[in-house]
Amino acid sequence: MIDELFTISTLIGILHSCVRLATPYLFASLGETFGQRSGVLNLGVDGIMLMGAFFGFYVVFEGHNLWVGVLAAIAIGVMMGLLKAFVSVTMQSLQGISGIGLYLFGLGLSSLLFKTLIGSVEGVSGFRQLPIPLLADIPGIGHILFNHNALVYLAYLMVPASWFVINRTTLGLKIRAVGHNPEAADTLGVSVNGVRYTTLMIGGALAAVAGASLSIGLQNVFQENMTNGLGFIAVALVYFGSWRTVGVLGGALLFSLVNALQLWVQALDIPVPSEVAVMMPYIMTIVVLAFTARQIQRPAALARSYERGE
Amino acid sequence: MLRRIRISLLIFLLLLAGCGRSNQDDEEVDAEGAPFRVAIVMPSSTTDIAWSQSMFDSLTAVQAEMGGEDALKIAYSEGMFRVTDASAAIRDYAAEGYDLVIAHGAQYGNSVFEVATDFTDTSFAWGTSSDTGADRGINNVFAYGAVANEGGYVNGVVAAMLSENDVIGVIGPVAGDAKLYIDGFVRGVTVVKPDAQVNISYTGSFSDTTLAAEAAHVHIQAGADVLTGSAQQVVGAIGVANENGVAWLGTQSDQISLGPDVVVTNQIYNWANVIADMIAKIEAGELGGTAYRLTFENDGLRLEFNESIEIDDAVKEAARAAIEDIKSGAVDPVLIEEDDE
């Protein structure tokens, strides 16, 4: 039994699952990275994901194109980001509490809209597997990396894109400055609130696409609270990745790898109690967190609202 | 100061929007010709296409049968996965004078008995359980449960006949909870094909649709060509089955809408008779003491085939024969094997 786990086809299967499972985490965590790098902690990710999942699904359910669904998700994500920015940046409420409020708001509103507009759990035809020509034919690697749906590829493309924006653009410089020392950034003429509004809108958009990647990409259904707390894990992954995009990628992949592994361990009837298998990803997360508790890149102004002194 | 107030107000509104309880009837009911009032507290949503929906659909069916809202008023609290919230809701409903308060989850047992001893004129029901508290002198509690291994067995027979690879995947929520169904299922498979492989995986959650969907992918890659699973998490898995054209066998509620081309059968929990019987008993002054069980024999369990897809007559015949065998007692749909739990 246990040797079945180490066959080539099983290993390919595990890695293929891992790559796919990481998709929603990547979108949501990268989005959260933008916010946190500018100094705003958004615990409302899960609520934004639910809104994105719902609107993406609803638009497709109504017969529109899948990409229109993604755009709808982005639009609602931006609005949720704006709401968070208004509460946390303009009104300067405590970031943690207002994030939880936003989560509950998204959870409640997406459920309400689902009940009113759709009413029962229905399926749609979501993004299909899109093997990339030539690359998908590479033995092993091809199936693992290049045989997924479009949103999976998009999630991975967001990693270098986010890295580039944060590290190589003027906006990125402003984001980092505002996150580390808002007073200094303000003195230099950077609009602290403007930057934070921007990052929260980007974060909202990405979180909403993370939700849509579930409802019209990986599962093709909408169900109330279908994220099941995934957004909170996404927030944790940002800490896990020390606020770096590559770190976030590593964290998302590791978490997904262990999750994929435990599903395979169970499916192959390897004698590990299912309770232990289910715990594996979380144990792994804690272990890695314990050993990588460096907080070098932690934005100094994280979770602090900024008010210009007189 | 003004800012503080504005912020507090905003947070309050946000929180308010997130919570909330659904009530079909908000108005007070007058005494004469008063409808029977039933309240239900559920761990998941009325549209979970599983456990909670099976009860809610049955309630609305009874309501339609009785003549609509004028005869039966239904109030419900859904998403009560936290027992403390559920406990408060159960007490609230009892205090508001509902005739019957249904706590739809085995985890609500302690709360039910606690509230039931404080509100002896109110009738309560809870399940999955067979404990009405009668041995402790409580006589206003009904208990109910589904003998899910019966339909599990029949689905197992169907799965074995449909599978060409002789590999079948099962997606359970939490080990133990879906045990009855899965044990019956495995038994059904092995009766038809003793050598078939049944791969079982648990997600560790009732509602992790993402993991359940991935579990379906894993089973398919491991060779499974028939899948089943339970709890509200399965919506994601049915989506995956649909995408891959792999047969799905449902349980608890009708799941055809999610996979019109792949859902072959559904074991459906029909609580209508149980509810109707409880209402009749309560109106006759008997507030509890009965433990109900859904079986094929009493029409509490139904096995429905998806009529819109072509299914081999031999499969349907075998399923019907299995149901008859269970009803007559010729077959015991429980896994008789050394158990690892």
Side-chain angles (χ1 to χ4, degrees):
Chain A
M1 284 180 201
I2 195 100
D3 45 320
E4 265 186 87
L5 192 62
F6 296 106
T7 61
I8 293 292
S9 68
T10 304
L11 291 177
I12 290 175
I14 292 172
L15 293 173
H16 182 76
S17 291
C18 159
V19 168
R20 179 175 39 221
L21 269 176
T23 306
Y25 296 108
L26 276 180
F27 278 121
S29 304
L30 289 171
E32 178 72 8
T33 305
F34 275 95
Q36 293 205 10
R37 287 300 286 266
S38 75
V40 187
L41 168 71
N42 184 3
L43 289 179
V45 177
D46 210 56
I48 304 178
M49 283 180 70
L50 284 167
M51 291 294 282
F54 175 77
F55 275 91
F57 179 86
Y58 182 61
V59 164
V60 174
F61 181 72
E62 288 291 300
H64 298 285
N65 183 284
L66 287 166
W67 289 106
V68 179
V70 174
L71 287 177
I74 290 176
I76 196 70
V78 168
M79 280 194 264
M80 293 289 282
L82 268 175
L83 180 62
K84 166 71 182 165
F86 177 71
V87 176
S88 302
V89 179
T90 306
M91 306 300 278
Q92 300 191 359
S93 76
L94 281 175
Q95 293 180 6
I97 300 291
S98 65
I100 296 291
L102 190 72
Y103 156 62
L104 291 171
F105 175 68
L107 172 64
L109 189 57
S110 61
S111 300
L112 179 67
L113 289 170
F114 168 71
K115 282 253 163 74
T116 350
L117 296 175
I118 301 178
S120 63
V121 180
E122 304 280 346
V124 292
S125 183
F127 283 95
R128 300 230 146 226
Q129 210 93 317
L130 184 71
I132 295 183
L134 299 177
L135 291 175
D137 298 331
I138 304 171
I141 303 283
H143 181 62
I144 294 168
L145 296 179
F146 304 112
N147 192 11
H148 293 283
N149 73 52
L151 291 180
V152 178
Y153 302 131
L154 187 63
Y156 286 88
L157 289 177
M158 289 314 297
V159 178
S162 306
W163 177 87
F164 184 80
V165 171
I166 292 174
N167 295 301
R168 290 287 181 273
T169 63
T170 321
L171 174 65
L173 184 64
K174 288 179 181 169
I175 291 172
R176 285 178 286 139
V178 165
H180 271 289
N181 193 337
E183 292 80 8
D186 194 11
T187 321
L188 294 172
V190 176
S191 162
V192 174
N193 288 1
V195 168
R196 288 181 170 178
Y197 262 81
T198 310
T199 57
L200 285 170
M201 286 191 287
I202 295 173
L206 287 173
V209 176
S213 79
L214 299 176
S215 65
I216 57 175
L218 301 176
Q219 299 176 22
N220 306 330
V221 289
F222 180 85
Q223 194 186 38
E224 290 162 61
N225 195 19
M226 72 183 292
T227 54
N228 194 41
L230 197 151
F232 290 97
I233 292 172
V235 174
L237 285 175
V238 177
Y239 285 79
F240 191 102
S242 302
W243 294 271
R244 290 169 303 148
T245 46
V246 180
V248 164
L249 172 68
L253 284 176
L254 182 69
F255 187 73
S256 305
L257 177 70
V258 184
N259 245 325
L261 183 68
Q262 65 100 347
L263 287 175
W264 276 92
V265 163
Q266 292 195 60
L268 295 178
D269 203 17
I270 290 166
V272 172
S274 68
E275 291 85 352
V276 175
V278 166
M279 270 192 291
M280 274 161 52
Y282 302 96
I283 294 173
M284 180 63 103
T285 311
I286 292 168
V287 169
V288 176
L289 267 181
F291 284 101
T292 58
R294 300 164 291 118
Q295 299 212 330
I296 309 164
Q297 293 255 10
R298 182 190 164 93
L302 182 59
R304 282 197 351 235
S305 50
Y306 175 68
E307 195 163 15
R308 187 180 276 193
E310 58 279 349
Chain B
M1 190 61 198
L2 192 60
R3 167 172 283 164
R4 283 272 158 72
I5 293 169
R6 274 187 299 175
I7 296 167
S8 319
L9 196 67
L10 206 66
I11 292 171
F12 177 71
L13 286 174
L14 283 173
L15 286 167
L16 203 66
C19 314
R21 187 170 83 182
S22 309
N23 258 308
Q24 276 193 1
D25 57 337
D26 283 334
E27 314 114 51
E28 285 297 314
V29 189
D30 57 352
E32 75 183 74
F36 190 91
R37 296 168 78 219
V38 55
I40 172 164
V41 176
M42 298 172 270
S44 49
S45 102
T46 56
T47 54
D48 69 353
I49 67 155
W51 172 246
S52 293
Q53 182 165 356
S54 72
M55 180 55 93
F56 192 72
D57 285 354
S58 300
L59 268 173
T60 48
V62 171
Q63 185 183 49
E65 183 105 323
M66 287 173 68
E69 276 200 39
D70 295 335
L72 179 69
K73 289 248 181 191
I74 305 169
Y76 63 95
S77 295
E78 51 184 347
M80 294 278 124
F81 54 91
R82 276 190 295 269
V83 174
T84 43
D85 293 351
S87 182
I90 293 166
R91 186 169 287 280
D92 282 354
Y93 284 129
E96 283 169 33
Y98 280 82
D99 300 301
L100 169 64
V101 180
I102 302 174
H104 195 48
Q107 65 271 45
Y108 302 150
N110 285 341
S111 314
V112 167
F113 287 117
E114 197 185 297
V115 181
T117 45
D118 293 346
F119 293 88
T120 47
D121 293 338
T122 303
S123 180
F124 297 85
W126 75 298
T128 300
S129 176
S130 55
D131 180 12
T132 63
D135 55 340
R136 304 191 289 287
I138 295 169
N139 46 28
N140 56 334
V141 174
F142 294 103
Y144 59 80
V147 186
N149 46 336
E150 293 195 357
Y153 179 87
V154 182
N155 267 351
V157 168
V158 171
M161 295 188 74
L162 290 177
S163 178
E164 290 174 9
N165 302 350
D166 290 354
V167 182
I168 294 155
V170 180
I171 302 160
V174 177
D177 180 79
K179 195 167 164 33
L180 265 187
Y181 174 73
I182 294 174
D183 283 356
F185 184 85
V186 173
R187 176 94 179 122
V189 172
T190 43
V191 160
V192 178
K193 286 186 179 166
D195 297 328
Q197 191 182 333
V198 183
N199 295 331
I200 304 170
S201 56
Y202 293 95
T203 59
S205 155
F206 292 94
S207 51
D208 196 334
T209 55
T210 310
L211 215 53
E214 196 54 44
H217 276 297
V218 169
H219 282 306
I220 292 168
Q221 286 191 56
D225 55 359
V226 179
L227 297 175
T228 189
S230 76
Q232 68 267 28
Q233 58 162 348
V234 297
V235 295
I238 302 173
V240 171
N242 209 27
E243 192 186 312
N244 289 278
V246 167
W248 177 269
L249 308 177
T251 184
Q252 298 180 327
S253 279
D254 183 346
Q255 301 170 344
I256 292 172
S257 68
L258 277 178
D261 303 325
V262 297
V263 175
V264 180
T265 56
N266 287 303
Q267 166 178 238
I268 292 171
Y269 291 180
N270 171 29
W271 303 100
N273 292 340
V274 172
I275 298 164
D277 195 66
M278 285 193 293
I279 293 175
K281 283 202 163 84
I282 293 165
E283 290 190 326
E286 190 182 327
L287 298 183
T290 309
Y292 297 92
R293 294 163 84 232
L294 299 187
T295 62
F296 282 123
E297 180 66 38
N298 64 23
D299 196 33
L301 297 178
R302 289 175 180 170
L303 193 89
E304 293 185 357
F305 277 93
N306 182 350
E307 297 299 339
S308 62
I309 59 173
E310 203 165 306
I311 300 162
D312 201 338
D313 282 340
V315 175
K316 289 189 172 179
E317 202 36 60
R320 282 195 200 100
I323 294 172
E324 288 313 313
D325 284 349
I326 291 169
K327 282 184 179 174
S328 70
V331 153
D332 181 9
V334 177
L335 187 70
I336 309 164
E337 232 180 53
E338 63 276 38
D339 218 325
D340 57 1
E341 279 203 67

